[in-house]
Amino acid sequence: MKVDERWRPRLASVDDAEEIAQLLHDFNSEFGEPTPDVAVLAARLRGLLSRDATFAIIAGEPAVGLALVTLRSNVWYEGRVALLDEMYVVPQLRGRGIGSAIIQQLMATARGSGIDLIEINVDEGDTDAQRFYERHGFSPTEPGSPERSFYFWQEISP
């Protein structure tokens, strides 16, 4: 499916922080998850997007979809490892190829910037997201292993 030109993805800049913040806020709100105020998110994004360890891809003007990616080094890869922290398309435009176009832009960006691996964490019950990522070549298992991968975390709060 070819995406409508109105929603062609592009790398975001610091100037897009408010739009990205609004989408992230809407994303968490849609699923009943806690979210900081949009102004708080925008301030954090301005700082993150001004450095080289975070980038975002947005689709549309105004933005209707996004991918937020953080980068790190890893002993097992010469290049960097990317974590797709968040991916979101506004509900009324889902199913129109916007998410696929964002993933294609992510892959092109990764290939052009020395990223060797992209990781994505997906909730067990989110079978739609699992199918979406598998359709785009991502796997829930490591190569050569039949075992599904798991994500563990612990928040460190003051």
Side-chain angles (χ1 to χ4, degrees), residues 58-76:
I58 56 174
E61 289 186 31
V64 297
L66 80 104
L68 184 63
V69 181
T70 53
L71 304 170
R72 64 180 169 81
S73 57
N74 183 292
V75 69
W76 303 114

Side-chain angles (χ1 to χ4, degrees), residues 2-142:
K2 185 168 170 67
V3 71
D4 187 306
E5 288 299 313
R6 294 175 291 176
W7 302 310
R8 178 178 294 273
R10 65 174 174 82
L11 283 174
S13 72
V14 173
D15 294 337
D16 298 308
E18 284 77 15
E19 278 189 274
I20 297 168
Q22 185 63 59
L23 287 172
L24 291 172
H25 179 79
D26 294 347
F27 182 27
N28 275 18
S29 297
E30 177 182 342
F31 293 98
E33 296 293 328
T35 179
D37 185 71
V38 172
V40 171
L41 290 170
R44 290 177 185 167
L45 284 162
R46 279 190 292 278
L48 291 169
L49 294 172
S50 69
R51 297 186 290 269
D52 67 352
T54 302
F55 68 91
I57 296 168
I58 56 174
E61 289 186 31
V64 297
L66 80 104
L68 184 63
V69 181
T70 53
L71 304 170
R72 64 180 169 81
S73 57
N74 183 292
V75 69
W76 303 114
Y77 294 92
E78 187 173 325
R80 294 182 292 177
V81 172
L83 175 63
L84 178 56
D85 288 312
E86 304 293 347
M87 176 137 175
Y88 179 69
V89 174
V90 296
Q92 65 271 24
L93 294 176
R94 291 180 189 151
R96 297 186 187 198
I98 297 168
S100 292
I102 291 171
I103 288 290
Q104 290 169 3
Q105 179 66 51
L106 171 59
M107 298 305 289
T109 300
R111 287 184 186 99
S113 61
I115 294 170
D116 287 342
L117 176 73
I118 298 173
E119 298 175 326
I120 306 169
N121 299 312
V122 180
D123 293 338
E124 182 176 10
D126 194 347
T127 56
D128 289 340
Q130 291 171 33
R131 280 192 300 271
F132 173 82
Y133 293 124
E134 287 180 14
R135 190 170 63 244
H136 288 89
F138 293 90
S139 174
T141 62
E142 290 187 19

